[in-house]
Amino acid sequence: MTNRRDLLKVLAAAAPATLGIGLWPGMLRAQAAAAGLISPNVCSLMPEVTEGPYYIDPELVRADIREDRVGVAMTMRLQIVDAGCAPIEGARVDIWHCDAQGNYSGFAGQGSDAVSDTAGQTFLRGTQMADAQGLVAFQTIYPGWYSGRTTHLHFKVFLDQTNLLTGQIFLPDALSQYIYDNAPDYGGRSSTRDTFNQGDGIAAQAGAGAYAHIAEQPDGYDAALVVGVARDAVSQAGQRPGGGPPPGGGPGNDGGRPPSPQGPADGTVDPASLIPGQGA
């Protein structure tokens, strides 16, 4: 498109200060679609953040990563592009996140109370190769929470066996809280959620471009994010030997950051409008 860069400039200039809530005006979504993008966070290069818990490569090339995990259905779509907004066909994308109760697969000491043992399991992990449009899509569940972190998913992008970027994806606080309060698979916790988007240091480091666009679907949610990477980049957040927890702690603090209790910051969202079967 001859006006592709102009469209991207418009998107960048018009991006609302509230993009952290994950909702975008229809005008911005239309402009993004016209530029061939799946979300309106434009093609800025995404900053790298800590790998966090717990990366392993189970060599599972698959679209459906749920296995036996229950929760609110979600499709996580990522579009891998370079600094010029050109799709990176063939990029390998790994994704992993915790289940509805805050547990990662593959390790002991899971959850906010660090008592669950999921060693040998591979739920909510998977790999896909980007298509000609730079797209991958994973069938998963809306992630749960654990103490010390806001709601998030992890990903890595590889090109020619080189890890270009390690990042995290963030979701709207109000929607997360509504799901946790109302969907039974997320209940029964012995502790209370203590960290929200504005109180999470890694979310602040990642910036507004790391928040997925969320759309309601008949059977759940569609989450979409454009991930801009430099083709010659080399990740500084490589896998630690054995894929174990980061220095300074387990899943409760992702690298030693203390919990940052915060209340929900985005009261502008009506979460019922995003829950399947509720709202307008």
Side-chain angles (χ1 to χ4, degrees), residues 247-273:
N253 57 18
D254 281 21
R257 287 179 174 82
S260 303
Q262 294 278 340
D266 24 86
T268 57
V269 184
D270 175 11
S273 68

Side-chain angles (χ1 to χ4, degrees), residues 102-268:
N103 303 311
Y104 287 87
S105 63
F107 295 90
Q110 291 301 298
S112 295
D113 52 8
V115 298
S116 297
D117 186 348
T118 63
Q121 300 182 52
T122 57
F123 59 80
L124 303 178
R125 298 180 182 274
T127 296
Q128 286 195 59
M129 307 302 172
D131 66 13
Q133 302 303 312
L135 294 170
V136 297
F138 295 92
Q139 301 301 315
T140 186
I141 62 169
Y142 201 94
W145 63 273
Y146 50 86
S147 180
R149 286 302 316 279
T150 193
T151 306
H152 64 283
L153 304 89
H154 303 261
F155 71 93
K156 284 180 177 286
V157 178
F158 297 84
L159 188 63
D160 297 330
Q161 298 183 335
T162 299
N163 183 0
L164 302 185
L165 177 70
T166 297
Q168 296 186 19
I169 306 163
F170 300 93
L171 300 167
D173 265 335
L175 175 60
S176 298
Q177 193 62 47
Y178 192 83
I179 287 174
Y180 301 155
D181 289 343
N182 292 277
D185 296 320
Y186 298 82
R189 306 291 295 273
S190 60
S191 56
T192 302
R193 185 181 178 211
D194 58 16
T195 308
F196 298 80
N197 289 339
Q198 286 195 351
D200 187 279
I202 298 175
Q205 179 186 359
Y211 285 83
H213 168 249
I214 300 288
E216 180 183 354
Q217 301 297 324
D219 58 350
Y221 296 93
D222 178 271
L225 185 69
V226 175
V227 177
V229 299
R231 291 178 182 266
D232 60 351
V234 177
S235 173
Q236 300 302 307
Q239 179 181 357
R240 282 169 288 275
N253 57 18
D254 281 21
R257 287 179 174 82
S260 303
Q262 294 278 340
D266 24 86
T268 57

Side-chain angles (χ1 to χ4, degrees), residues 22-37:
L23 301 177
W24 299 81
M27 178 190 70
L28 291 183
R29 294 198 299 271
Q31 289 171 328
L37 306 177

Side-chain angles (χ1 to χ4, degrees), residues 4 36-39 41-46 76-95 128-138 155-159 164-165 167 169 224-231:
R4 184 184 185 91
L37 306 177
I38 62 170
S39 71
N41 63 304
V42 299
C43 297
S44 57
L45 296 180
M46 185 170 288
M76 183 70 244
R77 296 187 296 135
L78 298 175
Q79 186 174 29
I80 312 302
V81 300
D82 64 17
C85 219
I88 303 181
E89 182 177 4
R92 169 182 162 175
V93 181
D94 288 9
I95 194 170
Q128 286 195 59
M129 307 302 172
D131 66 13
Q133 302 303 312
L135 294 170
V136 297
F138 295 92
F155 71 93
K156 284 180 177 286
V157 178
F158 297 84
L159 188 63
L164 302 185
L165 177 70
I169 306 163
L225 185 69
V226 175
V227 177
V229 299
R231 291 178 182 266

